[in-house]
Amino acid sequence: MAVADTGATGVGDGSGAWLAAAGPAARAATRVLARSGVDQRDAALRAAAAALREKAAAVLEANALDLAASTARAAFRDRLTLNEARLESMAGGLEQIAALPDPLNRELAAWTRPNGLRLRRVSTPVGVIGMIYESRPNVGADAAGLCLKSGNAVLLRGGSDSLHSARAIHAAMREGLRAAGLPEAAVQMAPDADRVHVAAMLAANGTVDLIIPRGGRSLVERVQREARVPVLAHAEGLCHTFVHRAANPEMARRIVCNAKMRRVGICGSTETLLVDAPVAATLLPSIVADLRALGCDFRADERARAILPELPAATAADFDTEWLDAVLSVAVVDGTEAALAHIARHGSAHTDCIVTEDADAAATFMGGLDSAVVMWNASTQFCDGGEFGFGAEIGISTGRMHARGPVGLEQLCCFRYEVRGDGQVRL
């Protein structure tokens, strides 16, 4: 099937004309992808990975332009920054996606009715995905790779701060599609960061099947408020780590340091530390010293400051703040139920962890949360599609319909029913 090509980025005239051309081309591309073999889709992913490596110098040069223009604080510059290792991780992620089983045409269920009708529920693509993202340039590669493998077309709208990087990465994805003989319209990118493209995508009911925003709270809340298209997203990653009275002290120190300080600007970073009262006096000073040595600052409640008076006092708003920086809110609580109550009051249903050697306490904690991801004795920074074995993620969902947690190939599929008969008619 011939599919129209809207060009490397499309036509941007501030009127939404890009989507008017890109949308139908993407819809046509989904029909090709849905009927393509997995070998062809995997070949496109491997070719795109090779193109990223071959064009590494150009991608890093484009990223340097974005960084030179950026005035963002350190944590956000880190999200924007590409280097050889991150570029290799991006290419390797595409190859990991290619190595995963085909998510399409899987038999999810099968049964036979008393009248002899044979029914199957079979996985199919969602269709056209609208991806709106801000500073992380790797999101474009992850989104394109996951959508391609799952038979979906994707319309990418990156932010102004990562536009040069996003264009260079998009060029590599198009090269992969071209090499595998798949329509380049399967992965399209808005020509610029004009907000008109966001407005057009949010209103594109019938053209776009699902919107996935990746960015700050204001972007996500706008998308959720204005979209006439289904949205898969999380507004905040206000993650908690609870150090229970039965925690292994050395394990707790390692986990908390990693959960907070490995990368402070990601949504899986722990923003609040809860320490069980019976071990707070002995364990909290060590944890604070470890974190302080790594450059962390604190906002502490009265009970934590009674142990460490030098800690800055937390305001009422601090425990509702997603810091995305080297700042940690700290509170002392009376046991697992109090920790659960704190998380229910202040959390965002993203990722929460308990550190304990007590299996019953862990079961109470994990069963008492409605978070998308709950963890026992592991850093919250493991909330990641790659770490979950998905190859990559297109986003994190805290919703309660369709998908929760890291969104990978399976979550980018829906299903159809196939009904086979032998001439039955309904009475």
Side-chain angles (χ1 to χ4, degrees):
M1 175 186 293
V3 178
D5 184 357
T6 60
T9 54
V11 178
D13 61 2
S15 67
W18 169 71
L19 187 60
R27 180 66 64 194
T30 64
R31 293 193 287 271
V32 177
L33 292 176
R35 295 199 303 272
S36 66
V38 67
D39 290 345
Q40 189 177 17
R41 284 176 271 130
D42 289 344
L45 290 166
R46 288 190 291 268
L52 277 174
R53 293 188 178 105
E54 291 167 4
K55 299 179 183 301
V59 175
L60 294 178
E61 183 179 343
N63 186 243
L65 293 175
D66 290 330
L67 288 169
S70 175
T71 58
R73 54 191 171 90
F76 284 89
R77 283 184 64 85
D78 176 64
R79 297 169 78 163
L80 176 61
T81 300
L82 293 177
N83 53 37
E84 290 185 2
R86 289 183 180 180
L87 198 58
E88 175 55 34
S89 178
M90 213 185 308
L94 293 174
E95 291 172 332
Q96 289 173 32
I97 295 169
L100 292 171
D102 187 2
L104 298 182
N105 301 308
R106 291 179 299 122
E107 183 176 275
L108 305 176
W111 64 98
T112 301
R113 296 292 297 150
N115 63 3
L117 287 177
R118 301 180 300 281
L119 289 84
R120 298 171 71 231
R121 187 163 64 238
V122 179
S123 60
T124 60
V126 170
V128 177
I129 309 294
M131 187 75 203
I132 302 168
Y133 62 104
E134 292 183 331
S135 59
R136 288 188 189 175
N138 66 291
V139 170
D142 292 347
L146 289 167
C147 286
L148 174 56
K149 177 82 174 196
S150 56
N152 297 287
V154 63
L155 302 172
L156 302 168
R157 187 276 191 184
S160 58
D161 50 356
S162 61
L163 192 58
H164 294 94
S165 307
R167 285 172 173 163
I169 293 166
H170 177 237
M173 297 306 305
R174 286 172 59 88
E175 190 167 317
L177 289 163
R178 200 160 46 239
L182 289 171
E184 294 177 43
V187 180
Q188 299 178 70
M189 179 182 162
D192 50 51
D194 194 317
R195 293 185 180 183
V196 71
H197 305 306
V198 174
M201 291 169 74
L202 298 185
N205 188 26
T207 298
V208 176
D209 297 298
L210 180 68
I211 294 282
I212 303 178
R214 287 278 298 271
R217 180 175 181 175
S218 60
L219 168 68
V220 175
E221 288 184 342
R222 179 198 170 187
V223 169
Q224 292 174 323
R225 183 175 61 251
E226 299 180 11
R228 297 177 58 194
V229 177
V231 176
L232 192 154
H234 75 277
E236 287 185 301
L238 219 162
C239 305
H240 297 74
T241 295
F242 170 47
V243 177
H244 181 255
R245 65 191 67 187
N248 177 300
E250 293 305 311
M251 179 189 293
R253 291 171 66 178
R254 289 197 308 273
I255 286 175
V256 173
C257 281
N258 183 268
K260 179 63 214 178
M261 296 301 293
R262 174 187 164 269
R263 291 187 70 182
V264 299
I266 66 173
C267 62
S269 171
T270 285
E271 303 290 22
T272 296
L273 170 66
L274 304 175
V275 183
D276 208 351
V279 296
T282 56
L283 192 49
L284 184 57
S286 299
I287 293 174
V288 167
D290 293 342
L291 290 165
R292 185 173 278 140
L294 296 172
C296 190
D297 196 4
F298 305 90
R299 304 290 186 271
D301 74 349
E302 291 182 5
R303 298 179 72 181
R305 295 184 73 244
I307 299 167
L308 295 169
E310 72 276 14
L311 294 181
T315 67
D318 286 340
F319 290 104
D320 297 317
T321 300
E322 183 185 21
W323 296 107
L324 296 174
D325 206 345
V327 182
L328 180 67
S329 302
V330 182
V332 175
V333 296
D334 293 312
T336 304
E337 292 297 338
L340 290 171
H342 181 105
I343 295 169
R345 189 163 57 250
H346 300 286
S348 63
H350 190 292
T351 302
D352 299 295
C353 165
I354 182 172
V355 183
T356 185
E357 299 298 296
D358 184 334
D360 290 337
T364 298
F365 181 87
M366 298 175 82
L369 291 172
D370 64 357
S371 302
V373 179
V374 290
M375 295 187 170
W376 176 14
N377 290 345
S379 167
T380 58
Q381 300 223 3
F382 280 110
C383 182
D384 174 86
E387 295 296 333
F388 277 32
F390 298 167
E393 71 188 37
I394 199 169
I396 305 286
S397 172
T398 55
R400 288 167 177 78
M401 296 294 290
H402 177 62
R404 300 198 81 194
V407 176
L409 294 175
E410 183 179 340
Q411 294 76 28
L412 289 176
C413 294
C414 56
F415 56 82
R416 68 171 179 268
Y417 289 99
E418 295 181 351
V419 182
R420 300 185 183 187
D422 300 299
Q424 290 91 333
V425 295
R426 186 171 178 178
L427 300 178

